[in-house]
Amino acid sequence: MVYPGDGVSYQAQAATAGGVLPNGAVVPVGVTAIVDARHYITGAPVSTKAQAFYVEDNWNVTPNLLLNLGVRADKFHNKLASGTTFAKADFGDMISPRLGFSWDVKGDGTTKLFGNAGRYYIPLTNKLTDYFGGGTTDEHTYYALNGWTQKTDPVTGGTYLFPDLGAQLGPINTEGNVPAPDDVRTAVSRDLKQVFQDEYILGFQQAINQTWSYGANVTYRKMTRAVEDVRINHVAGCDWYSGDWPILNPGEKNTLWCPDTNSWVTFDSSKDGYEALGSGAVMGYKKPRRTYKAIELQLDRAWDGKWAFNASYIWSKSEGNIEGPVNSDTGYADTNLVQYYDHPAVNERYGVLFNDHRHQIKLRGSYKLDDMWSFGGTFAAYSGGPITAFGVRWPNDNRSAGGPGEFSGGGSGWLCTANCSDWQTRQLVYSPRGAFGRMPWVKDLSVNVTWTLPVKDVDLKARFSIYNLLNSQTVVNVHSRYESTPGNKMPYFGQGTVWQSPRFMQLVVTYTY
């Protein structure tokens, strides 16, 4: 992968004179905005071999009770371009039991109680192997922003503004560069365990008559493991680890190769792995946690050849200290390489996650006018996600947990209020997840009409659909970076970055023969 054009991505950012940039440079007097020019190149011909088998049995315990029993086993082998093993797991490492049941309570098909419990493994993405297998160039150069120059897109002919680069501020920051390896023993935990999620569902359905029914179900999901790149600058018994980023199971025991002693070293990353700057305190990383709880209510009118209708309401709560393999709060989608374990402060906070939409409403309907024309529509609305602030430091540490840009580090839950230049005397306040309210409700009304050729034995149809009919433009993500440096609030915190997709139309013609 490489950025298009000159291979560099340019991001303008507010700046404060005297502020320190990630490359150690100090923002000069008179400079109020800078440009972060990121040169990023990655890619390698890596390979993955995956296998799985699944055994399932449906057992009618009684005429009214059906059990579904199953187990799935997976294995994989990820290799670098050189053929060297990056990571592997055997069938015995990824066993996923599944159990489900369906009970016809009255024996007449009008009342059904059902449930399911299962474990689901999430495979490693090739992005990880690619990142370590071919090396990565990830360099940031900082410039003073001297204004904007209007340029013309050579393809579309449209105009756009390009930053006018002033003086370069400090040296090129090459901390993100990763050389192509031929040995990953220091880069990948020897006993790397795979991520899984446990899910439990319990529900019922009740028929009112031949066409109408209602039901409810509850869902609970839990994740307690992650595979991520982790900042490791301290390992007891191996001084070699002074600032590396190996792939680990954070918050668990991991084993890495120690070049100093030419032997394996095992350490508990919940207690060791990070040494604070200044205070020298040694600590570990919190174990990842994420839960999802939901209750769904449904009302259904089955299709009778003329019309159908379905309505549902979901109350849900998504909590944790890690969203998953991406980080939507800061718009960072580099799978399994996000910022949750760039610093212990990043995943310190447990609370509502970005995708916590507490209320969701869905209405669906369809109507057949005659053999030629039929109509349909859907209405969906969900409450906005939480707005969380990300600072740059936390107590007793002079190393940043986040940078001045939206994508430069995950950030801390601590915000500086006084004496911000001195880590020993600065005053910090703790800001929980979701402390700055929520984004607005998102509403979407979509409609369609289908024309069918009324000729026997000829299946020709044309469907015209309009999505987001009312052209709602609701904000669905905002700037979450609260500080650029301790005590310096970003001027655009809380302002929109992503909006609901605008209205669009689609025409689909099908002919089946």
Side-chain angles (χ1 to χ4, degrees):
M1 172 196 152
V2 61
Y3 288 124
D6 61 358
V8 179
S9 171
Y10 299 90
Q11 184 184 79
Q13 304 168 3
T16 303
V20 180
L21 299 175
N23 63 351
V26 177
V27 178
V29 175
V31 174
T32 59
I34 65 168
V35 175
D36 179 355
R38 185 188 188 192
H39 183 217
Y40 184 74
I41 304 174
T42 185
V46 299
S47 65
T48 299
K49 181 179 180 180
Q51 295 174 276
F53 69 83
Y54 185 72
V55 179
E56 180 181 9
D57 180 52
N58 292 316
W59 177 27
N60 281 105
V61 181
T62 71
N64 299 340
L65 178 61
L66 173 67
L67 290 183
N68 179 263
L69 307 171
V71 62
R72 177 187 172 102
D74 291 83
K75 67 180 295 187
F76 70 87
H77 190 182
N78 289 8
K79 295 183 179 181
L80 306 177
S82 63
T84 301
T85 295
F86 175 79
K88 65 184 299 186
D90 293 321
F91 284 124
D93 299 325
M94 302 171 70
I95 303 294
S96 308
R98 315 279 171 82
L99 170 65
F101 77 92
S102 179
W103 178 30
D104 185 353
V105 179
K106 298 180 180 180
D108 59 2
T110 61
T111 306
K112 182 174 73 171
L113 184 67
F114 61 91
N116 181 76
R119 174 164 291 183
Y120 302 88
Y121 276 91
I122 303 172
L124 282 180
T125 65
N126 276 335
K127 173 62 181 176
L128 276 177
T129 315
D130 172 73
Y131 183 84
F132 282 87
T136 296
T137 298
D138 190 359
E139 300 175 342
H140 292 257
T141 306
Y142 302 94
Y143 301 91
L145 177 63
N146 281 352
W148 301 88
T149 300
Q150 182 170 295
K151 292 192 174 185
T152 302
D153 189 309
V155 177
T156 66
T159 59
Y160 64 95
L161 294 178
F162 190 84
D164 184 5
L165 303 181
Q168 181 175 327
L169 306 177
I172 298 174
N173 186 349
T174 60
E175 288 183 355
N177 286 349
V178 179
D182 53 12
D183 183 350
V184 294
R185 291 179 299 174
T186 62
V188 185
S189 175
R190 183 180 65 175
D191 44 6
L192 193 69
K193 303 177 185 68
Q194 304 314 305
V195 179
F196 64 86
Q197 177 173 270
D198 289 331
E199 179 182 80
Y200 306 91
I201 298 174
L202 180 65
F204 83 93
Q205 291 179 322
Q206 174 67 55
I208 302 173
N209 52 39
Q210 291 294 322
T211 54
W212 287 92
S213 64
Y214 68 92
N217 64 76
V218 295
T219 300
Y220 177 75
R221 301 188 185 111
K222 184 178 182 180
M223 185 279 297
T224 56
R225 177 174 291 157
V227 171
E228 280 289 341
D229 64 323
V230 182
R231 181 201 291 265
I232 299 296
N233 63 6
H234 182 278
V235 173
C238 186
D239 293 339
W240 186 87
Y241 287 96
S242 58
D244 213 35
W245 303 85
I247 300 297
L248 306 178
N249 295 124
E252 301 183 41
K253 288 186 177 181
N254 290 269
T255 301
L256 293 168
W257 182 256
C258 180
D260 289 345
T261 61
N262 285 322
S263 62
W264 295 100
V265 57
T266 299
F267 68 103
D268 186 345
S269 65
S270 69
K271 301 176 181 178
D272 193 4
Y274 180 79
E275 181 178 1
L277 184 62
S279 68
V282 175
M283 65 198 76
Y285 291 85
K286 286 187 178 294
K287 191 171 184 178
R289 293 190 296 158
R290 185 181 71 242
T291 61
Y292 173 80
K293 307 167 188 175
I295 300 173
E296 182 178 14
L297 306 176
Q298 289 201 55
L299 177 66
D300 189 75
R301 205 272 186 186
W303 176 256
D304 63 353
K306 191 68 176 178
W307 69 287
F309 174 77
N310 175 265
S312 70
Y313 165 75
I314 299 175
W315 176 94
S316 64
K317 192 173 186 179
S318 182
E319 295 180 293
N321 60 357
I322 177 173
E323 178 186 349
V326 298
N327 186 0
S328 300
D329 279 304
T330 57
Y332 204 93
D334 217 356
T335 311
N336 291 116
L337 293 166
V338 290
Q339 314 106 317
Y340 291 115
Y341 293 95
D342 286 6
H343 189 287
V346 179
N347 80 321
E348 176 192 23
R349 289 182 289 182
Y350 182 93
V352 289
L353 296 171
F354 176 85
N355 54 4
D356 177 56
H357 301 290
R358 198 59 54 87
H359 307 283
Q360 298 180 58
I361 301 170
K362 295 180 182 179
L363 304 175
R364 310 173 188 87
S366 56
Y367 176 76
K368 183 177 181 181
L369 181 64
D370 51 36
D371 290 340
M372 185 180 295
W373 297 98
S374 59
F375 305 88
T378 62
F379 173 77
Y382 60 87
S383 57
I387 300 175
T388 299
F390 290 84
V392 293
R393 303 291 172 89
W394 72 334
N396 300 317
D397 190 2
N398 203 30
R399 182 178 288 109
S400 290
E406 198 73 14
F407 305 104
S408 47
S412 159
W414 296 84
L415 310 178
C416 189
T417 58
N419 302 326
C420 298
S421 61
D422 188 339
W423 69 271
Q424 293 177 297
T425 60
R426 70 169 59 109
Q427 297 177 24
L428 301 165
V429 294
Y430 180 74
S431 176
R433 286 184 172 272
F436 286 80
R438 287 180 174 266
M439 287 172 271
W441 276 70
V442 178
K443 306 177 184 69
D444 188 337
L445 175 63
S446 299
V447 297
N448 64 77
V449 56
T450 301
W451 173 83
T452 303
L453 180 67
V455 176
K456 186 178 180 179
D457 299 328
V458 178
D459 189 2
L460 176 63
K461 297 180 180 180
R463 170 174 289 194
F464 179 66
S465 304
I466 303 177
Y467 299 93
N468 191 6
L469 177 67
L470 303 180
N471 198 31
S472 300
Q473 302 279 309
T474 306
V475 63
V476 296
N477 203 349
V478 298
H479 285 285
S480 298
R481 183 72 59 208
Y482 189 87
E483 294 176 315
S484 57
T485 56
N488 293 316
K489 183 181 177 181
M490 301 291 272
Y492 47 75
F493 170 75
Q495 296 180 13
T497 59
V498 181
W499 287 261
Q500 184 179 358
S501 297
R503 178 174 54 225
F504 68 98
M505 292 164 279
Q506 182 183 64
L507 176 63
V508 178
V509 179
T510 62
Y511 174 63
T512 304
Y513 57 92

